[in-house]
Amino acid sequence: MKLAMISDIHGNEQALQAVLEDISNINASHIAVLGDLSYRGAKPKQCLDIIRGLDAKVIKGNADEWIVRGVREGEVPSKALSMMQAEQGWAKGKLTEDDLLYLDQLPKTLEIPLSNQKQIFACHATPTSMFDVISDQASNDDYQTYVQANERADYYVYGHIHLPFMRSFSGKKVINTGSVGLPFDGDPRASYVVFDRSQKDAQVQFRRVQYDIERACHDLDAEEYPEPARNIVKEIYQSAMKP
């Protein structure tokens, strides 16, 4: 069995379609989506429809929470608040009431058995928060929050920080999938992770997928994505660096 774990699509339909094509090409039979489906991209409705059409396990991210109930003061830098609220209002206006109900009711954590001996525990950011940031530079002690939530798991997988990495600690592994739609690691290609299960263990592979960045930027213009966020998102697509 091959399990593809993707996260942080952020309304980037071009990247999502490219990743799903790659998943099909490598014959991955299962997909898990770790949140942030629609907010901050030109195609919120299209991306959500694609995800809902998959036979996939899906959990909620902070951006999914935002798109339903808004971006609140104190959750983002004050200088970005009005811009991000405008983005939220624009994206929410593209979705139906049923879409919003779907996002609102998504679970926040996920357990996936890899074998009789190995298990994955996944969340968007941390088991107790969709907003907390545990970076790739965090100490091993910081990862104990995952162990405390599920001591049985062997792999702890999350998204949120848009930086793919894997680290071993205390006989376990913590993995970040990176981002499909908004990578922050200097590589503009979409990022996701594949677990290739064998009898006793699983091989972990990080996948990077090229997609049509020019078309993704065109989508932002064609859909009249709010300014000044439109240019910021384009810069992220083109440089894959957090502004």
Side-chain angles (χ1 to χ4, degrees):
M1 180 198 82
K2 288 184 180 179
L3 165 67
M5 302 193 76
I6 68 176
S7 188
D8 296 275
I9 298 158
H10 289 286
N12 187 337
E13 184 186 16
Q14 304 304 323
L16 176 59
Q17 293 283 22
V19 164
L20 292 178
E21 182 177 354
D22 191 66
I23 289 171
S24 177
N25 288 341
I26 64 172
N27 297 315
S29 55
H30 296 73
I31 300 174
V33 186
L34 306 188
D36 284 8
L37 311 182
S38 297
Y39 176 83
R40 185 154 268 208
K43 301 285 189 173
K45 172 66 173 171
Q46 292 86 339
C47 287
L48 183 55
D49 286 347
I50 290 168
I51 295 301
R52 295 187 70 176
L54 299 174
D55 182 16
K57 297 181 182 297
V58 186
I59 60 177
K60 185 191 287 189
N62 64 295
D64 306 311
E65 183 81 353
W66 277 340
I67 208 169
V68 171
R69 55 82 161 160
V71 183
R72 295 173 180 168
E73 188 174 357
E75 292 179 336
V76 299
S78 56
K79 65 181 181 181
L81 181 60
S82 62
M83 177 185 73
M84 295 183 71
Q85 288 175 333
E87 292 177 88
Q88 184 271 343
W90 180 90
K92 185 174 183 179
K94 300 290 184 180
L95 303 184
T96 66
E97 288 299 320
D98 183 64
D99 292 332
L100 296 171
L101 182 63
Y102 170 83
L103 291 175
D104 191 39
Q105 294 182 342
L106 286 173
K108 296 179 182 178
T109 61
L110 177 63
E111 296 182 19
I112 303 174
L114 283 172
S115 68
N116 291 334
Q117 299 176 321
K118 299 292 181 179
Q119 179 173 293
I120 295 171
F121 178 75
C123 57
H124 180 69
T126 74
T128 58
S129 171
M130 294 176 291
F131 295 87
D132 288 347
V133 174
I134 298 184
S135 79
D136 58 330
Q137 302 300 315
S139 71
N140 287 343
D141 288 343
D142 290 330
Y143 299 127
Q144 290 300 321
T145 184
Y146 301 105
V147 179
Q148 291 166 4
N150 188 320
E151 294 183 356
R152 302 183 308 277
D154 304 276
Y155 300 92
Y156 300 97
V157 187
Y158 72 112
H160 191 50
I161 65 171
H162 300 212
L163 294 166
F165 77 94
M166 179 168 63
R167 187 192 299 187
S168 298
F169 72 103
S170 303
K172 301 175 183 290
K173 289 183 171 66
V174 60
I175 296 167
N176 193 280
T177 63
S179 172
V180 170
L182 287 171
F184 286 170
D185 65 343
D187 185 338
R189 296 175 298 171
S191 173
Y192 75 102
V193 168
V194 175
F195 285 82
D196 191 349
R197 187 179 71 184
S198 61
Q199 188 72 17
K200 294 182 179 180
D201 205 346
Q203 299 297 314
V204 180
Q205 180 186 18
F206 288 88
R207 304 281 297 179
R208 300 306 292 245
V209 182
Q210 292 183 336
Y211 72 95
D212 191 339
I213 292 174
E214 183 176 346
R215 186 171 176 185
C217 290
H218 171 77
D219 287 345
L220 291 165
D221 292 330
E223 297 294 329
E224 297 183 344
Y225 197 78
E227 293 282 15
R230 187 191 312 179
N231 287 331
I232 292 175
V233 176
K234 284 182 181 180
E235 289 174 5
I236 298 172
Y237 289 170
Q238 292 163 345
S239 68
M241 296 294 288
K242 189 173 182 179

